[in-house]
Amino acid sequence: MSIQTTSTRPLRVGMIGYAFMGAVHSHAWRSAHRFFDLPLVPELTVLSGRHRDAVEAAADRFGFASVETDWRAVIERDDVDLIDICTPGDLHAEIAIAALEAGKHVLCEKPLANSVEEAERMAAAAEAAAARGARAMCGYTYRRTPALTLARELVRSGRLGVIRQVRAQYLQDWLADENAPMTWRLQAEHAGSGALGDIGAHIIDTAQWLTGQSITGVTALLETFVTSRPLAGERAGLGGHGEVGEDVPRGQVTVDDAAMFMVRFDGGATGVFEATRFALGRKNALRIELSGTTGALAFDFEDNNVLEFFDGAGPATEQGFRRILVTEPDHPYAGAWWPPGHGLGYEHGFTHQVVDLVRAIAAGQQPTPSFADGLAVQRVLGAVATSAGDGSRWVPVGG
Amino acid sequence: MSIQTTSTRPLRVGMIGYAFMGAVHSHAWRSAHRFFDLPLVPELTVLSGRHRDAVEAAADRFGFASVETDWRAVIERDDVDLIDICTPGDLHAEIAIAALEAGKHVLCEKPLANSVEEAERMAAAAEAAAARGARAMCGYTYRRTPALTLARELVRSGRLGVIRQVRAQYLQDWLADENAPMTWRLQAEHAGSGALGDIGAHIIDTAQWLTGQSITGVTALLETFVTSRPLAGERAGLGGHGEVGEDVPRGQVTVDDAAMFMVRFDGGATGVFEATRFALGRKNALRIELSGTTGALAFDFEDNNVLEFFDGAGPATEQGFRRILVTEPDHPYAGAWWPPGHGLGYEHGFTHQVVDLVRAIAAGQQPTPSFADGLAVQRVLGAVATSAGDGSRWVPVGG
Amino acid sequence: MSIQTTSTRPLRVGMIGYAFMGAVHSHAWRSAHRFFDLPLVPELTVLSGRHRDAVEAAADRFGFASVETDWRAVIERDDVDLIDICTPGDLHAEIAIAALEAGKHVLCEKPLANSVEEAERMAAAAEAAAARGARAMCGYTYRRTPALTLARELVRSGRLGVIRQVRAQYLQDWLADENAPMTWRLQAEHAGSGALGDIGAHIIDTAQWLTGQSITGVTALLETFVTSRPLAGERAGLGGHGEVGEDVPRGQVTVDDAAMFMVRFDGGATGVFEATRFALGRKNALRIELSGTTGALAFDFEDNNVLEFFDGAGPATEQGFRRILVTEPDHPYAGAWWPPGHGLGYEHGFTHQVVDLVRAIAAGQQPTPSFADGLAVQRVLGAVATSAGDGSRWVPVGG
Amino acid sequence: MSIQTTSTRPLRVGMIGYAFMGAVHSHAWRSAHRFFDLPLVPELTVLSGRHRDAVEAAADRFGFASVETDWRAVIERDDVDLIDICTPGDLHAEIAIAALEAGKHVLCEKPLANSVEEAERMAAAAEAAAARGARAMCGYTYRRTPALTLARELVRSGRLGVIRQVRAQYLQDWLADENAPMTWRLQAEHAGSGALGDIGAHIIDTAQWLTGQSITGVTALLETFVTSRPLAGERAGLGGHGEVGEDVPRGQVTVDDAAMFMVRFDGGATGVFEATRFALGRKNALRIELSGTTGALAFDFEDNNVLEFFDGAGPATEQGFRRILVTEPDHPYAGAWWPPGHGLGYEHGFTHQVVDLVRAIAAGQQPTPSFADGLAVQRVLGAVATSAGDGSRWVPVGG
């Protein structure tokens, strides 16, 4: 934790949306330069939302200097360098493309879009913008959990040999109660899909990134266990984890509650995936296990500072999954924080995302995950939906 | 652990096959009446195998009074009450049907058979034999791991509510080395299938039994990662977990290395299953998790004395998966053994199997799992193979 | 995570010291009002340190508006409401007493002092200052780890019955390497003691606070395994977790490397304590287990979002330590942060400390832990040193 | 698991006592030659107990060929080669010395005796008997848990470097209920001491054996939380884990409920020990952790097939406690049993004890632990009692 003066050149952020993702993104923009040396200093310039009172309160809470009630106004402002899109998925494409065309850098929450078609247009816009110096990044933030970044390094350095099998789960339980209220996340027109796009997208991206392999085909099953939910107001809630009584009117759930799919990767690996919001007792269990020819890795976000590594080298009598506490000074990102064993939390991945994005912008380089990476995930999401809708038949992932 | 005199009426056992399963079955037959009050005392009457020297050595080691080199001779003997079939799957049907027709009780290792057709004939033979007082049981032994028996009791008593999701894995790694030798377990003509029938069968049976629901359809993926293996002799090995050099001739692997499938149950639940012998670092990880509306359960055989139970009742602030050490006097089977916390091992399930089988025989009742239960598993195995062979399309499980 | 406008009345902070504790305290002062509704808004007014260049760099990094190079100047400033003492222990008493006498609120890092005598004077000063409206708090921050706060609530509500046994460990390994460099933490004149005061103090405070019982006597053993260390500059490092070569001159370690002690509490409980920086592989394992007549609790900071709770009520067959993920909306502090399962890290306890301190100041109430609480710990530390220096004889904890 | 004919030369066993230890010892005598090649085949010749009906029932259950009601008669029998002492500790010395003087081999349960004086006489008798070819072994069986045997091998091969710290706990909870009934284990005249000698003895032996170091001095605390217990009959119970009502008369508990002590070893290590029967929720948690200069080990019998090993070699970024599942073919004892991951239970240590004892007898070698090893434990137990009775002062362990 060295004490150094970072640059005083600003990176002026306009954020659109201020719910759960807005809160954690704001924290990251405020904190990154306090712990990392950055070539540009983020400034929270403007926050945008449709309801003036609410957005003003949020701006005050988050530390933004001004507000807008129309996202187009944010893009038009000269004092904004980067647009941070924290809205539901149905707005991603329109905002991102407009921002890129206006020459702004863009950070867009995941999934990149609600359809492959939107994602393709966004990726094309990002590519065109890159030629003009505007950078676009898709927020698959878990890549920057130190334990997963370390996992990627171990794979890349060959410690696992050839990866043969992937098992990935993203288990939550916040909808297990059939009276948990309706939110935009359960409406296809806003969210595109349910568990599939919200959390399934994370394990798809994590798996493709960790293995360095692309998914080439899928067979899938989608299920909606609870088909109606109490209505608690339009687009209510910051995650919608509350509960309401049974006497309120109920709306139709138009997305999946659980998504299960099996895949093949272009490097020869197979994979089993499950994303669900009905795994009672599992709160945020993003789990991934990679089985290679010479090593294996296992991770569970409910124990986010730990990576389990099985090294197949050495005598069999001394082998075992080792619990690496990813808090050492030489671990990814960890040296900027606390001494070993003083763990990090959920939001640190977002801070690291800001760090890498700011550095890429200053260096004139492409940050990752790119919109093309986001599109790659979207194509898998699309294939999953197609397979599930057609008797689970094998569906190749289109290129 | 009460000290009581058990009956002195014998149950005379003729065992066919003496490899891994023969060793653990023998231990169970020798030990059951030492810890449990039994109405009949097992006697190790005869052991059968094709090679006289080897079967004599095994009989001496296991404690059998005599040997035969033709299994038909065992069935013909008047001094044998029960035939214990520990052979590869290709002999199950012929032996079991002959034994039942000869009026012997039968304990048959799993999977019940190598095909649905064989299993159907076996189930029919068992039904016919039952009318004549001969009992047949299929050795899905994990049902009698105390933690899983407790799990069944918790489900049955309603503690989980309606079960919505099942995730089941059986992860081993003894074939991860591409030079692990050929065994009969890798030859379709002897084993029927690979990971699917050997270990996938266990999680199918466990899942159907625990939930009390039947699988109605599947979509599946089978994969063989290593297609040839060093030949180390015909039907070599007791499990074949050794290794040989690379200069020996290699034989073709004709079964799957890994089986992945997704299912629907007749009670509305969905399930994700994976059976593999390539999960590096996982040695015998039979894992199952049930997510219900009001509770959840998780088990891993690598920690076989533990059942994890999430009780959704009570305040959310006090909920969590609790690690039940299933060694209390009132836990299933546990009271016959040691004080709390002094755990049991792999073989105890086989001893409990003997206990329940002997009691059922003495009581003139049907033991479980029955051959019909074994057939039900076989039908799922069949559907998995069909789906995997036909583009992972959805395949109903035939009735 | 509600969006509300907090007060705009400031609480102006002057911080003295800017190493590890300065970094984490600054983060807490910057962040608290972003997630919690506070009656006063912290402002980072001035940072103090002896070396101008270094303190200016730190002030820039941490976000302080100005610097001083003499802590007395900070206390004299009219625009400072609260003095946050992040120096080594040898300066605590002088600064804290001066600050309180100047009418400033004080937050003082732990251990409160380097001797009982100093701590007594500090506690007296705090009591006198309280009468004048100045508040003093001692930074035993782990009390505000949500899992430990929940533990305190469970004890207080009687869920454990009468507590009979405490086992507490604080295991680190950053000195296991005999060439880890000298730091002020290994010099008695600055740190007072070694593992005892640095981390042993934490488990003493945690144990007394959790149980609601006071330690009445001790028997103790102190040990210094490595008696000299490479010198890497005076008072080097921010925790001093690096390494240096063997050719550098070595200085004398004048504190304990490990402290072991057994205690009695005034409520009848016994306790076993160990604090060490030589437990290879343990990075920050602050562990405490309470065994009561009807319940038990276990915690390990290396899995800081989890509290294990054994409820002795209910049938023995369903009992087990349950792993409570302390991230539910109704868990202490957790509702201000992320959805369930999205864990918190080390620094959040400091943020919660700021929240409670600011609220106590605004309400005119005594924050906890008070200096009297800090003194109570100091008396145990003193008794431990006395016992260890006198053949481990039983030493009552003086009042 | 090779199939070989073991010797047919018998080793004829006379067992004295038939409660918990008698049951597990019998199982070991019956099973050892079924899984291991032994030079002598154990025969269960005679079982001895004071009450004829009970001992006859036990002999029938355990498989003994005859009974005696006076242990002296067993020693006098010509057809007995080995005396297995499974009585409470107050009879150990008399029986063992008589047996050794009669030329019998002896296996004596732990603790070796109820006093140092008895243990000294026993060790002398064993030494004298050894000259005449009679072997004596003390039953510190946990040494033969494969995970702990592996731990010893890792220490011996230098993987831990110099061991600096030991932390050892033996946590049970079967007396946490104040109405758990009186047993001989709570009566000083029969058991000598309470948790100290029953389970504290195990962690003392394990620690001295694992480290290869001897304890040179102690400071101790003993505590009796529940001073009277319901009387449920003289010397009742096989472990006495049941419960009785509150209206029955209560007897005085004359032993410790918990023993806590800190030690120094002759190799420079320090240690913290706790043995308790009041750690609610802990059933048989024999835990030991060794912290060395280059490696560390941790074990918990509640997960008895696992050894955790921290290897300090290699890059810090890849270090972590690895969970070795001690079931590989090349792990101690494991190759005789099941394939990897198919774990062993509590009784297997006793079977391994028989294996090593029988082999030592046949080879004319001293088995371990010897009575001298048992005496070494007894001296530590004595020093603990002395320290606890004299203000916890430091007490050297006498030679």
Side-chain angles (χ1 to χ4, degrees), chain B residues 1-6 8 18-20 23-24 27 30-38 54 56-64 142 170 172-173 238-239 241 281 283-284 301-306 323 325 327-329 337-348, chain D residues 1-6 8 18-20 23-24 27 30-38 54 56-64 142 170 172-173 238-239 241 281 283-284 301-306 323 325 327-329 337-348:
Chain B
M1 202 180 51
S2 62
I3 296 175
Q4 298 182 21
T5 305
T6 70
T8 55
Y18 52 88
F20 170 27
V24 65
H27 184 72
R30 287 192 309 264
S31 302
H33 65 292
R34 300 295 177 196
F35 295 93
F36 294 82
D37 297 325
L38 294 189
E56 285 184 344
D60 183 62
R61 171 59 65 103
F62 296 166
F64 280 88
Y142 286 115
Y170 202 143
Q172 298 183 336
D173 73 354
L238 303 168
H241 292 177
K283 302 301 176 179
N284 199 43
F301 195 83
E302 287 190 0
D303 200 7
N304 66 301
N305 290 292
V306 169
R323 193 178 176 272
L325 206 49
T327 57
E328 294 294 311
W337 299 98
W338 320 120
H342 300 64
L344 304 185
Y346 169 69
E347 69 263 42
H348 293 80
Chain D
M1 201 180 54
S2 62
I3 295 175
Q4 300 181 19
T5 305
T6 69
T8 54
Y18 53 86
F20 170 25
V24 66
H27 183 71
R30 286 192 310 263
S31 302
H33 65 294
R34 300 297 178 195
F35 294 93
F36 294 83
D37 295 326
L38 293 189
E56 284 183 344
D60 183 62
R61 170 59 64 104
F62 296 166
F64 281 88
Y142 285 116
Y170 202 143
Q172 297 183 336
D173 75 352
L238 303 168
H241 294 176
K283 302 302 176 179
N284 199 43
F301 195 83
E302 288 189 359
D303 200 5
N304 65 302
N305 290 293
V306 170
R323 193 179 178 272
L325 207 49
T327 57
E328 294 294 311
W337 298 98
W338 320 119
H342 299 64
L344 304 184
Y346 169 69
E347 70 263 42
H348 293 78

Side-chain angles (χ1 to χ4, degrees), chain D residues 43-290:
Chain D
E43 288 185 3
L44 285 69
T45 302
V46 54
L47 182 66
S48 170
R50 290 180 299 172
H51 305 291
R52 176 164 298 274
D53 286 357
V55 74
E56 284 183 344
D60 183 62
R61 170 59 64 104
F62 296 166
F64 281 88
S66 66
V67 302
E68 298 285 354
T69 56
D70 182 345
W71 60 264
R72 289 173 189 82
V74 179
I75 291 177
E76 287 167 11
R77 282 173 62 155
D78 287 338
D79 65 345
V80 168
D81 302 311
L82 181 146
I83 303 296
D84 184 357
I85 305 172
C86 294
T87 67
D90 54 338
L91 294 174
H92 286 190
E94 187 177 6
I95 299 174
I97 292 169
L100 288 167
E101 290 180 348
K104 310 297 191 192
H105 307 296
V106 171
L107 171 60
C108 182
E109 256 307 313
K110 48 54 57 185
L112 186 61
N114 278 2
S115 71
V116 171
E117 183 273 334
E118 287 175 337
E120 285 174 336
R121 286 193 290 117
M122 294 171 78
E127 196 174 338
R132 299 188 304 266
R135 306 294 159 193
M137 186 187 203
C138 184
Y140 284 108
T141 319
Y142 285 116
R143 290 189 181 195
R144 291 177 166 92
T145 301
L148 285 174
T149 314
L150 175 63
R152 175 63 183 132
E153 292 178 2
L154 288 167
V155 171
R156 206 182 286 243
S157 66
R159 300 298 298 276
L160 268 65
V162 177
I163 295 173
R164 283 171 173 152
Q165 294 196 286
V166 176
R167 45 198 71 86
Q169 300 175 319
Y170 202 143
L171 311 180
Q172 297 183 336
D173 75 352
W174 57 283
L175 291 180
D177 180 344
E178 63 185 2
N179 289 318
M182 177 61 66
T183 86
W184 67 264
R185 292 181 185 276
L186 305 181
Q187 298 169 326
E189 65 272 29
H190 296 306
S193 65
L196 176 59
D198 183 22
I199 54 179
H202 274 302
I203 48 177
I204 293 168
D205 181 71
T206 302
Q208 294 195 127
W209 165 71
L210 276 185
T211 60
Q213 298 185 24
S214 296
I215 293 173
T216 58
V218 307
T219 173
L221 206 59
L222 296 178
E223 177 69 12
T224 303
F225 295 107
V226 175
T227 54
S228 73
R229 295 279 178 183
L231 292 171
E234 192 194 357
R235 287 198 168 202
L238 303 168
H241 294 176
E243 289 186 28
V244 300
E246 297 188 27
D247 51 347
V248 297
R250 300 175 77 93
Q252 195 68 17
V253 173
T254 51
V255 299
D256 56 285
D257 284 337
M260 297 150 272
F261 44 105
M262 306 185 298
V263 312
R264 290 187 182 276
F265 291 85
D266 59 4
T270 59
V272 178
F273 288 70
E274 181 181 3
T276 176
R277 293 151 164 175
F278 280 73
L280 199 66
R282 306 302 178 186
K283 302 302 176 179
N284 199 43
L286 186 165
R287 297 172 179 176
I288 189 158
E289 178 166 328
L290 306 181

Side-chain angles (χ1 to χ4, degrees), chain C residues 8 124 126 179 196 203 256 258 264 273 281 293 302-304 307 310 330:
Chain C
T8 54
N179 288 318
L196 176 60
I203 48 178
D256 57 285
R264 290 185 182 278
F273 289 70
T293 49
E302 287 190 0
D303 200 6
N304 66 300
L307 180 67
F310 183 91
D330 291 338

Side-chain angles (χ1 to χ4, degrees), chain B residues 71 75 93-104:
Chain B
W71 61 262
I75 291 177
E94 186 177 6
I95 299 173
I97 292 168
L100 289 166
E101 290 180 348
K104 310 296 191 192

Side-chain angles (χ1 to χ4, degrees), chain B residues 137-158:
Chain B
M137 185 188 204
C138 184
Y140 284 108
T141 321
Y142 286 115
R143 291 189 180 196
R144 292 179 165 90
T145 301
L148 285 174
T149 314
L150 174 63
R152 176 63 183 133
E153 291 179 2
L154 288 167
V155 171
R156 205 183 286 243
S157 66

Side-chain angles (χ1 to χ4, degrees), chain A residues 63-339:
Chain A
F64 281 87
S66 66
V67 302
E68 298 285 355
T69 56
D70 182 345
W71 60 262
R72 290 172 189 81
V74 178
I75 290 176
E76 287 168 10
R77 281 172 64 153
D78 288 339
D79 63 347
V80 169
D81 303 309
L82 181 147
I83 304 296
D84 184 358
I85 305 173
C86 294
T87 67
D90 55 336
L91 294 173
H92 286 189
E94 187 176 6
I95 299 173
I97 292 168
L100 288 167
E101 290 179 347
K104 310 296 190 190
H105 308 296
V106 172
L107 170 61
C108 183
E109 256 308 312
K110 45 57 56 186
L112 186 60
N114 279 2
S115 71
V116 172
E117 183 274 334
E118 286 174 338
E120 285 173 338
R121 287 193 288 115
M122 293 169 79
E127 196 173 339
R132 299 187 303 268
R135 306 292 159 195
M137 185 187 203
C138 184
Y140 284 108
T141 320
Y142 286 115
R143 291 189 180 195
R144 292 179 165 90
T145 301
L148 285 174
T149 314
L150 174 63
R152 176 64 183 132
E153 292 179 2
L154 288 167
V155 172
R156 205 182 287 243
S157 65
R159 299 300 297 276
L160 269 64
V162 177
I163 295 173
R164 284 171 173 153
Q165 293 196 287
V166 175
R167 46 198 70 86
Q169 299 175 318
Y170 202 142
L171 311 180
Q172 297 183 334
D173 74 354
W174 58 282
L175 291 180
D177 180 344
E178 63 184 3
N179 288 319
M182 177 62 67
T183 86
W184 66 264
R185 292 182 185 275
L186 305 181
Q187 298 169 325
E189 66 272 29
H190 296 306
S193 64
L196 176 59
D198 184 21
I199 54 179
H202 274 301
I203 48 177
I204 293 168
D205 180 71
T206 301
Q208 296 195 128
W209 166 72
L210 276 185
T211 60
Q213 298 185 24
S214 295
I215 293 172
T216 58
V218 307
T219 172
L221 206 60
L222 296 179
E223 177 68 12
T224 303
F225 295 106
V226 175
T227 54
S228 73
R229 296 277 177 184
L231 293 170
E234 192 194 355
R235 288 201 166 198
L238 303 168
H241 293 177
E243 289 185 30
V244 300
E246 297 188 28
D247 51 346
V248 297
R250 300 176 77 93
Q252 196 67 19
V253 173
T254 50
V255 299
D256 57 285
D257 284 337
M260 297 150 273
F261 43 106
M262 305 185 299
V263 312
R264 290 187 182 276
F265 291 85
D266 59 3
T270 58
V272 179
F273 289 70
E274 179 182 4
T276 176
R277 292 151 165 174
F278 280 74
L280 199 66
R282 306 301 178 187
K283 303 303 176 178
N284 198 43
L286 185 165
R287 297 172 178 176
I288 189 157
E289 177 166 328
L290 305 181
S291 301
T293 48
T294 62
L297 289 172
F299 173 81
D300 183 342
F301 195 83
E302 288 190 0
D303 200 6
N304 65 303
N305 290 293
V306 169
L307 180 67
E308 289 189 272
F309 173 40
F310 183 91
D311 186 357
T317 51
E318 296 187 9
Q319 293 176 2
F321 275 92
R322 70 183 75 166
R323 193 178 177 273
I324 304 174
L325 207 49
V326 190
T327 57
E328 294 294 311
D330 291 337
H331 278 141
Y333 305 108
W337 299 98
W338 321 119

Side-chain angles (χ1 to χ4, degrees), chain B residues 14-26:
Chain B
M15 181 179 293
I16 301 171
Y18 52 88
F20 170 27
M21 277 302 114
V24 65
H25 278 232
S26 300

